Amino acid sequence: MSYWGQLNLMDPSSPIQIEMIFFHDHAMILLIGIFTLVAIMGIKLLLSNFSCRSVYEAQTIEIIWTIIPAFLLIWLALPSLRLLYLLDEQFDNSLIFKSTGHQWYWSYEIPSLGINSFDSYMIKTEDLSEGSFRLLEVDNRLPIPLNINSSIIATSSDVIHAWTIPSLGVKLDAVPGRLNSMSISPIVSGIFYGQCSEICGANHSFMPIVIETMSL
């Protein structure tokens, strides 16, 4: 089993999700280092026999503990800004998919391929076939081409939804009267599951998202 599988997390299936995991590890190195340093200093202060009842100026140490955190923040901010720009990048030659959220199901359109709107409903538990995932399977999956840049456009017909595929690093708000877009580039073939990540009503947990990546 992979490292992320042992943590009950999904393996990355797109370049964006891989970059997100790299940034997570980058930030964890910084946080663990800060926690370790503060813990060591705290233990040393607790075990120290020296004490001071008056306050003395220490310009040098104040400069040091101001400059070092500033460098640490820059070390954290630069990869974060790079990742934000990667998330907003759009490709001119990409296929376009439109996703519309309803209470409580999704409908899709693929205008570049001439495919009109089709609905995607969750399959009821009693209708599931053997080996299917409860509350995650749908009757119509969205086909996404493999190793090709695609753009997903999300909107809503009623309330705010969120089109989310964790393993692809996609979380796109579907807002009524607005079109939000995001690029997706799957690099692993298979079936990927997601759910609406916005509390949209009573059946919020019963509108799953399933895409199937396949070669053209």
Side-chain angles (χ1 to χ4, degrees), residues 148-164:
I148 293 179
N149 295 318
S150 304
S151 293
I152 182 74
I153 298 176
T155 187
S156 174
S157 63
D158 36 53
V159 298
I160 298 177
H161 300 278
W163 199 84
T164 306

Side-chain angles (χ1 to χ4, degrees), residues 27-145:
M28 285 302 296
I29 291 174
L30 177 62
L31 295 177
I32 292 173
I34 293 175
F35 176 81
T36 303
L37 178 61
V38 172
I40 292 174
M41 295 301 295
I43 293 173
K44 282 185 174 294
L45 288 173
L46 290 175
L47 300 179
S48 176
N49 294 324
F50 297 99
S51 61
C52 180
R53 300 183 60 183
S54 59
V55 178
Y56 296 95
E57 291 186 3
Q59 298 293 341
T60 303
I61 193 171
E62 288 182 3
I63 293 174
I64 292 174
W65 70 36
T66 301
I67 292 178
I68 291 179
F71 279 114
L72 294 178
L73 289 175
I74 294 174
W75 187 43
L76 185 64
L78 291 179
S80 176
L81 292 174
R82 175 179 175 272
L83 183 57
L84 286 175
Y85 278 105
L86 288 176
L87 287 171
D88 289 336
E89 188 174 6
Q90 298 289 334
F91 300 94
D92 295 334
N93 58 345
S94 60
L95 290 174
I96 297 177
F97 301 84
K98 183 181 178 183
S99 173
T100 304
H102 307 270
Q103 289 183 314
W104 288 272
Y105 65 96
W106 295 94
S107 62
Y108 300 102
E109 299 176 43
I110 313 178
S112 55
L113 299 180
I115 299 178
N116 295 326
S117 177
F118 62 93
D119 298 330
S120 180
Y121 289 93
M122 185 190 74
I123 299 178
K124 296 182 179 180
T125 303
E126 57 269 21
D127 298 330
L128 288 174
S129 58
E130 186 177 356
S132 299
F133 295 103
R134 177 178 172 270
L135 301 181
L136 287 177
E137 295 289 351
V138 297
D139 53 359
N140 292 312
R141 297 168 178 169
L142 177 65
I144 300 288

